[in-house]
Amino acid sequence: MTSPSSGPGSSGTPAPAAAPAPSTQIPAPKALAKALEDGMYAKATTPYGRMFLLSLTGGAFIAWGFIYMVTSQQGMAEWPTGIAKVLGGVVFSVGLGLVVISGSDLFTGTTMTVMPWLSKRITAGRMLAHWGISITGNFIGSALMALLILLAGVHASNGGAWGLITLNTSLAKVSYDWPRAFFLGLLANFAVCLAVWIATAGKTVTDKILAVIGPISLFVATGLEHSVANMFMLPMGLMVKYGAGDEFWNGAAVQKAGVTVDDFAALTPLSAVWDNLIPVILGNIVGGAVFVGVYFWLAYNKPETSAAKEEARKDS
């Protein structure tokens, strides 16, 4: 007589089948557009309290990307400009990588909630409320990171070289006229939302990180304007200008550059808002909502929505 088996299925019940391995094939473009719309719908319908909390980290994580970029640019003046800019862009992409993986809320990405609005899944009021909460939380998170960097004395590192980069970068950002700032913002968020589009197709952390590097490094290296990134850089530049103190202004790098606080007279809170943030935000909205959200909705999601409405009409 054989002894009863003690293994799985010994009672006569077959052992459960192993779960199939997840597919590594990326969705087809049409399915990807639907996944992007569904993701935007989920973000827009998040409870407002959680939405605000996730917006704080959205701003803070993009600030981390800019912090890394500034750090990478110290001592790069002797390098070929293209190499220095591409390096800065690659390290900056850490910021969007953190946003994508953590599920944080980034205003520039939320402009694509125009997709579920076009499909009548959310109201215009809900979409605009999401945008408002997102941009407010992003600004607070970004500005708080700037304050922490100042309190930590990072701006004075390497003889003030770190803080000098933020001053020069901030001054350049408030020197654009409105049309140029608008179009720089449009192009920047065109690239950022394409990065989100590609990352949506990713199956692993590695996929998603690699997906954002190309478009993000492209926009940073080209010198395009991203409103949330500027919500860190401009407050950082202003904090250095008004609050760095003698340790910074007497630093070796600052002295070597031969600059004083008077050289940054054009950098003010008013110029930061009026000459940069407002036109860049408007450009970001067009670049993300129209050039990516509306485009992919028209190309893939509108025909499906129209077909569903026609089927419902026939059934009625």
Side-chain angles (χ1 to χ4, degrees), residues 217-251:
S217 62
L218 182 158
F219 106 71
V220 175
T222 308
L224 307 179
E225 293 289 311
H226 185 266
S227 59
V228 181
N230 292 353
M231 290 174 193
F232 165 78
M233 181 53 70
L234 292 169
M236 187 77 253
L238 289 166
M239 289 179 193
V240 172
K241 176 184 174 180
Y242 293 114
D246 292 339
E247 179 188 1
F248 170 77
W249 292 107
N250 293 326

Side-chain angles (χ1 to χ4, degrees), residues 61-253:
F61 292 163
I62 293 298
W64 273 123
F66 227 145
I67 290 165
Y68 197 6
M69 193 206 81
V70 172
T71 300
S72 77
Q73 298 303 291
Q74 295 174 100
M76 294 295 288
E78 303 303 320
W79 283 66
T81 300
I83 293 175
K85 288 181 176 293
V86 169
L87 173 64
V90 169
V91 299
F92 180 88
S93 66
V94 167
L96 187 61
L98 289 170
V99 169
V100 168
I101 300 302
S102 68
S104 295
D105 208 323
L106 185 65
F107 165 70
T108 46
T110 68
T111 58
M112 292 188 292
T113 52
V114 70
M115 296 177 76
W117 173 68
L118 288 169
S119 294
K120 301 189 182 334
R121 299 171 69 184
I122 59 172
T123 64
R126 183 74 189 195
M127 180 182 73
L128 294 176
H130 182 205
W131 289 8
I133 290 171
S134 183
I135 202 167
T136 301
N138 285 175
F139 179 79
I140 294 171
S142 299
L144 179 59
M145 287 296 296
L147 178 61
L148 292 174
I149 288 292
L150 185 78
L151 294 175
V154 175
H155 66 286
S157 61
N158 298 324
W162 202 98
L164 187 58
I165 291 172
T166 67
L167 280 171
N168 289 330
T169 303
S170 297
L171 183 62
K173 288 181 178 295
V174 300
S175 300
Y176 300 128
D177 58 30
W178 258 58
R180 187 177 181 192
F182 172 85
F183 285 110
L184 287 171
L186 185 158
L187 290 168
N189 207 33
F190 189 2
V192 169
C193 289
L194 287 175
V196 174
W197 157 266
I198 300 170
T200 302
K203 299 290 187 178
T204 68
V205 171
T206 302
D207 294 344
K208 292 179 181 292
I209 295 297
L210 289 175
V212 305
I213 290 176
I216 298 305
S217 62
L218 182 158
F219 106 71
V220 175
T222 308
L224 307 179
E225 293 289 311
H226 185 266
S227 59
V228 181
N230 292 353
M231 290 174 193
F232 165 78
M233 181 53 70
L234 292 169
M236 187 77 253
L238 289 166
M239 289 179 193
V240 172
K241 176 184 174 180
Y242 293 114
D246 292 339
E247 179 188 1
F248 170 77
W249 292 107
N250 293 326

Side-chain angles (χ1 to χ4, degrees), residues 23-87:
S23 171
T24 58
Q25 184 175 1
I26 67 171
K30 183 176 181 180
L32 186 53
K34 181 64 166 62
L36 183 63
E37 180 180 321
D38 290 344
M40 291 297 109
Y41 173 80
K43 283 186 173 293
T45 54
T46 297
Y48 288 139
R50 185 188 304 164
M51 187 186 292
F52 177 71
L53 290 176
L54 292 173
S55 298
L56 292 174
T57 51
F61 292 163
I62 293 298
W64 273 123
F66 227 145
I67 290 165
Y68 197 6
M69 193 206 81
V70 172
T71 300
S72 77
Q73 298 303 291
Q74 295 174 100
M76 294 295 288
E78 303 303 320
W79 283 66
T81 300
I83 293 175
K85 288 181 176 293
V86 169
L87 173 64

Side-chain angles (χ1 to χ4, degrees), residues 276-296:
N276 184 277
L277 287 178
I278 292 176
V280 169
I281 286 170
L282 295 174
N284 285 170
I285 290 172
V286 175
V290 179
F291 279 57
V292 181
V294 173
Y295 169 80
F296 281 121

